[in-house]
């Protein structure tokens, strides 16, 4: 299709570019003009990370046809302020702690600017409504609302708040209690921080992964012949092309870089293509022919544990078991005044960081350098070296500014694929997951099924617990062993229970891989032990708060796993929460 000339004003300067009728504004900004301050979080108008102003109105540039800005004024984060002269919103986002990973920040700032331009003194409700289309996974929004409100107040009254200076004065000498400027904060509010997807290198190729269409199947063959012959395709790799190990994993190396004989979840990588454009790489994926023989799908741990269940891994469907035995629960239950039993289930949870996984690998001298999102550069370096069959000192991993992670960027994602392709082609290779791909390929919080039986005496003192827990680790181990171990160790929460029996296991299924996520198994079991405390209190006719006070750890208490506790703060935390609830006029249970 013939390209058209597009002329518009961008951050106060006239720009001219040639675009196709279907080109989107975000691509013009990021790819043609290399203004990477505007971010792509979802690519379909849902997250607001790509927000820019067109004639003062906030729009999501990832779904906005570029030709619509013909003759108009576009403002991006790069036009909002300057080093040494930040826009008041940028200044207050920094001072109020409204910037964490910074990936949502450019879009959020522009939405806030549009609001204040129209409504100089918005109510809190108006601020909430204005930013409702801009997702932030780090801050909880409170600081963002505070920063916008503070800016409005300063601009409206003309008085610059000295609140943070006052705070700092009260804090006294030293750094503790003071508001310390985030080291990389200024570049984040100016849109200058380089996230992995923002990196460009001359001659760079673009890569895409072909993923399994079945959750459980034998792989009879992969034919990449047609894909290799497409003009612009520089490399197509499968398990056959891995020079080192094809097995990775932080604790147990059971995960395939590329599926070889079998796929174990829908979305498992089968092949990777590097091409001169992302579009060509995507087209090439469609030309790869995969011969599957579908196998029965095990979608719950119960199915995977059933007699004669098909094996997901040769060694069986149980990843690991954990047991705790303390005291004599059987005898204690016989003496209990009250016994309560219940089963709790928690679900799989997606981290949903706003920045999708991305990275670039290139060869510098004879070293493979990988710039990518990460929560573990040294672990990633070791894995890449093993997969590429290189000594450790021939691989460098550099963590780029990372747009949220919450445990989800500990495992490998794009790293080995771009590294393998850079090694193969000698060229820089970039890979950026789409939002959909990020959800399929990244790990999740483990779903747990937990059956609790707990007994207490007439005074509400816990005397026994019998617990079983089953965790779904999905197709591979990832952080399953650590997650289950922590869940077992903390199974009865911060409460003294002298007699305990726990049987726990983590089970392979054909679900998405579960791994690290904030809390490592503790949020799951908190649902169960806190639910049990409420049920026991109800049965005993005492308040849930009193039930907790009678059982909470104190200095010298022995934990459920036999550890004598020396420094214990939970009692004070509980009382502080009660006090705060009372101060707010609420009812403390
Ligand atoms: Fe455009 Fe999410 S709304 S990237
Ligand atoms: Fe908002 Fe990280 S600071 S997504």
């Amino acid at each position: 299709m013939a390209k058209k000339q597009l002329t518009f004003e961008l951050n106060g300067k006239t720009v001219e570019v040639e675009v196709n009728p279907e080109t989107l504004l975000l691509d013009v900004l990021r790819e043609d003009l290399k203004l990477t301050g505007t971010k792509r979080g979802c690519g379909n108008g849902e997250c607001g990370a790509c927000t820019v102003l067109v004639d003062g109105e906030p729009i999501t540039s990832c779904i906005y046809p570029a030709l619509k800005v013909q003759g108009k004024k576009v403002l991006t984060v790069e036009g909002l302020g300057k080093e040494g002269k930040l826009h008041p919103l940028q200044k207050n986002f920094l001072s109020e702690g409204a910037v964490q990973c910074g990936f949502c920040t450019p879009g959020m700032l522009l939405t806030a600017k549009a609001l204040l331009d129209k409504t100089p003194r918005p109510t809190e409700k108006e601020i909430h409504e204005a930013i409702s289309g801009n997702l932030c996974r780090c801050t909880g929004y409170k600081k963002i609302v505070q920063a916008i409100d503070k800016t409005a107040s300063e601009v409206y009254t003309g008085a610059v708040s000295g609140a943070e200076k006052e705070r700092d004065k009260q804090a006294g000498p030293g750094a503790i209690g003071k508001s310390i400027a985030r080291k990389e904060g200024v570049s984040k509010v100016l849109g200058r921080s380089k996230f992995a997807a923002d990196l460009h290198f001359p001659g760079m190729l673009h890569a895409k992964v072909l993923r399994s269409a079945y959750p459980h199947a034998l792989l009879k063959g992969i034919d990449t012949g047609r894909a290799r012959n497409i003009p612009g395709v520089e490399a197509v790799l499968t398990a056959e092309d891995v020079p080192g190990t094809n097995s990775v994993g932080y604790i147990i190396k059971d995960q395939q870089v590329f599926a070889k004989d079998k796929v174990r979840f829908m979305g498992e990588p089968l092949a990777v293509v590097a091409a001169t454009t992302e579009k060509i790489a995507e087209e090439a994926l469609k030309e790869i022919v995969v011969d599957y023989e579908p196998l029965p799908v095990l979608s719950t741990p119960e199915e995977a544990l059933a007699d004669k269940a098909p094996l997901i891994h040769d060694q069986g469907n149980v990843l690991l078991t954990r047991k705790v035995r303390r005291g004599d629960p059987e005898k204690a239950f016989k003496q209990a005044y009250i016994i309560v039993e219940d089963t709790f289930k928690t679900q799989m949870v997606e981290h949903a960081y706003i920045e999708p996984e991305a990275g670039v690998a290139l060869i510098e001298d004879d070293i493979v350098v990988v710039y990518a999102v990460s929560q573990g550069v040294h672990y990633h370096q070791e894995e890449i070296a093993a997969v590429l069959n290189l000594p450790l000192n021939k691989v460098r991993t550099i963590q780029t500014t990372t747009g949220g992670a919450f445990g989800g960027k500990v495992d490998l994602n794009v790293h080995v694929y771009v590294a393998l392709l850079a090694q193969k082609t000698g060229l820089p290779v970039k890979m950026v997951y789409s939002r959909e791909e990020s959800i399929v390929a990244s790990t999740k919080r483990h779903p747990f099924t937990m059956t609790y039986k707990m007994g207490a005496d007439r005074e509400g003192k816990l005397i026994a617990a019998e617990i079983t827990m089953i965790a779904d680790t999905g197709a591979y181990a990832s952080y399953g062993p650590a997650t289950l171990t922590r869940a077992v160790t903390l199974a009865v929460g911060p409460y003294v229970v002298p007699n305990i029996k726990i049987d726990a296991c983590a089970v392979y299924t054909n679900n998405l891989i579960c791994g690290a996520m904030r809390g490592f198994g503790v949020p799951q079991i908190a649902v169960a032990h806190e639910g049990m405390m409420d049920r026991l209190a109800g049965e005993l006719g005492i308040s849930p708060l009193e039930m907790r006070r009678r059982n909470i750890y104190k200095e010298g208490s022995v934990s459920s796993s036999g550890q004598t506790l020396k420094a214990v703060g939970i009692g004070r935390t509980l009382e502080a929460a009660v006090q705060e609830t009372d101060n707010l006029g609420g009812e403390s249970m």
Side-chain angles (χ1 to χ4, degrees):
M1 205 172 288
K3 290 201 170 191
K4 293 195 173 175
Q5 182 79 19
L6 171 65
T7 308
F8 63 105
E9 189 184 307
L10 177 63
N11 300 331
K13 287 192 187 134
T14 301
V15 292
E16 292 183 353
V17 276
E18 287 205 329
V19 298
N20 289 316
E22 73 276 14
T23 303
L24 298 165
L25 181 57
L26 182 61
D27 293 321
V28 171
L29 296 172
R30 288 183 57 84
E31 306 305 327
D32 297 334
L33 303 172
K34 301 285 183 279
L35 283 190
T36 54
T38 308
K39 305 300 179 198
R40 185 192 306 275
C42 66
N44 53 26
E46 298 292 341
C47 73
C50 62
T51 304
V52 299
L53 303 190
V54 176
D55 283 350
E57 289 296 329
I59 59 100
T60 43
S61 60
C62 68
I63 51 170
Y64 198 84
L67 285 173
K68 278 178 76 177
V69 301
Q70 175 67 36
K72 296 190 175 168
K73 289 183 180 162
V74 175
L75 181 72
T76 71
V77 70
E78 288 90 349
L80 199 55
K82 298 190 212 39
E83 192 118 38
K85 193 163 188 321
L86 298 180
H87 185 279
L89 275 165
Q90 291 169 316
K91 181 181 79 63
N92 287 326
F93 265 56
L94 285 177
S95 72
E96 293 309 296
V99 182
Q100 287 193 24
C101 80
F103 199 78
C104 71
T105 305
M108 198 70 86
L109 284 166
L110 288 159
T111 298
K113 179 172 181 347
L115 169 70
L116 298 190
D117 286 349
K118 268 203 189 134
T119 313
R121 198 71 183 96
T123 61
E124 193 172 321
K125 186 160 175 273
E126 285 170 324
I127 298 176
H128 281 240
E129 275 165 12
I131 62 169
S132 62
N134 291 76
L135 301 183
C136 175
R137 280 289 279 155
C138 306
T139 63
Y141 300 99
K142 198 172 168 189
K143 304 281 185 185
I144 292 172
V145 173
Q146 240 168 263
I148 298 171
D149 184 55
K150 188 174 166 203
T151 309
S153 150
E154 286 176 1
V155 172
Y156 194 75
T157 61
V160 175
S161 153
E164 63 267 29
K165 287 214 177 92
E166 200 41 49
R167 236 167 21 214
D168 290 356
K169 244 193 260 162
Q170 283 171 9
I176 294 173
K178 289 205 171 125
S179 44
I180 304 294
R182 185 174 277 277
K183 193 167 164 261
E184 76 295 0
V186 171
S187 59
K188 281 181 174 171
V189 293
L190 289 169
R192 290 184 193 162
S193 286
K194 289 291 174 206
F195 293 80
D198 302 336
L199 300 175
H200 289 269
F201 292 91
M204 188 170 78
L205 300 174
H206 298 264
K208 282 281 164 193
V209 174
L210 179 71
R211 298 181 179 279
S212 162
Y214 289 85
H216 199 194
L218 294 178
L219 266 185
K220 312 296 271 185
I222 302 181
D223 182 354
T224 58
R226 284 213 308 260
R228 286 176 201 277
N229 288 330
I230 293 176
V233 170
E234 297 288 326
V236 183
L237 307 179
T238 66
E240 304 301 327
D241 304 295
V242 176
T245 176
N246 191 41
S247 303
V248 294
Y250 191 83
I251 298 171
I252 298 172
K253 301 211 179 293
D254 63 354
Q255 189 175 338
Q256 307 177 96
V257 174
F258 296 106
K260 199 162 178 345
D261 302 316
K262 188 180 190 187
V263 294
R264 297 184 173 88
F265 72 98
M266 193 182 272
E268 183 153 16
L270 303 172
V272 67
V273 173
T276 46
T277 68
E278 203 174 49
K279 201 153 182 239
I280 295 174
E282 273 164 5
E283 287 306 312
L285 294 187
K286 294 181 197 155
E287 298 301 321
I288 299 175
V289 183
V290 185
D291 187 8
Y292 300 96
E293 184 182 314
L295 294 168
V297 178
L298 303 175
S299 53
T300 66
E302 290 74 20
E303 287 170 7
L305 290 172
D307 270 355
K308 304 206 174 76
L311 294 185
I312 294 172
H313 291 269
D314 292 346
Q315 72 276 20
N317 292 344
V318 175
L319 166 62
L320 87 159
T321 58
R322 288 275 181 261
K323 281 182 197 296
V324 174
R325 300 287 185 267
R326 246 190 109 224
D328 188 345
E330 209 180 314
K331 188 168 154 208
F333 275 120
K334 282 189 189 139
Q335 294 162 355
Y337 173 70
I338 184 88
I339 296 175
V340 172
E341 291 181 62
D342 217 335
T343 296
F344 302 82
K345 281 178 184 278
T346 61
Q347 76 283 33
M348 192 177 270
V349 180
E350 156 70 23
H351 305 79
Y353 25 77
I354 308 295
E355 180 207 25
E357 294 79 350
V360 183
L362 62 155
I363 312 293
E364 272 178 12
D365 301 324
D366 59 346
I367 295 175
V368 180
V369 183
V370 180
Y371 295 86
V373 300
S374 181
Q375 282 185 282
V377 282
H378 297 107
Y379 161 59
H380 292 163
Q381 181 195 24
E382 282 169 22
E383 293 279 40
I384 294 165
V387 172
L388 271 57
N389 198 21
L390 291 175
L392 210 51
N393 64 359
K394 295 295 172 196
V395 175
R396 253 182 99 198
T397 45
I398 298 169
Q399 180 185 355
T400 46
T401 307
T402 296
F406 323 121
K409 291 174 182 171
V410 184
D411 286 81
L412 288 165
N413 47 72
V414 302
H415 310 80
V416 283
Y417 304 108
V418 290
L420 281 165
L421 288 164
Q423 185 186 44
K424 179 80 181 173
T425 62
L427 295 170
V429 181
K430 177 174 180 176
M431 186 185 288
V432 182
Y433 283 176
S434 66
R435 173 57 51 189
E436 293 77 3
E437 193 174 17
S438 169
I439 288 175
V440 167
S442 67
T443 57
K444 307 285 172 272
R445 189 189 290 291
H446 292 77
F448 271 52
T449 301
M450 300 156 286
T451 299
Y452 272 57
K453 176 178 166 188
M454 290 178 86
D457 65 15
R458 196 180 283 269
E459 280 71 48
K461 285 279 236 181
L462 297 169
I463 56 172
E466 193 175 312
I467 297 165
T468 59
M469 46 176 96
I470 302 174
D472 179 355
T473 198
Y476 293 106
S478 180
Y479 280 74
T483 304
L484 190 74
T485 303
R486 280 200 68 188
V488 165
T489 311
L490 300 161
V492 290
Y495 308 113
V496 178
V497 186
N499 302 288
I500 291 197
K501 180 182 179 199
I502 304 174
D503 288 293
C505 67
V507 181
Y508 289 115
T509 62
N510 296 120
N511 294 328
L512 299 179
I513 305 166
C514 293
M517 187 171 190
R518 286 181 169 180
F520 269 108
V522 175
Q524 291 94 321
I525 49 122
V527 170
H529 61 67
E530 294 307 316
M532 291 302 286
M533 293 300 273
D534 289 349
R535 285 159 177 73
L536 282 159
E539 292 290 330
L540 286 161
I542 60 175
S543 77
L545 174 60
E546 193 48 39
M547 185 72 202
R548 287 166 173 83
R549 277 181 173 144
R550 288 181 195 181
N551 291 284
I552 208 149
Y553 283 156
K554 299 182 178 60
E555 276 174 34
S557 296
V558 179
S559 75
S560 57
S561 52
Q563 186 185 3
T564 303
L565 304 171
K566 295 210 170 113
V568 181
I570 183 71
R572 274 175 287 146
T573 305
L574 181 67
E575 297 310 326
V578 171
Q579 185 62 53
E580 189 61 20
T581 310
D582 292 347
N583 293 347
L584 293 170
E587 253 181 62
S588 45
M589 305 188 288

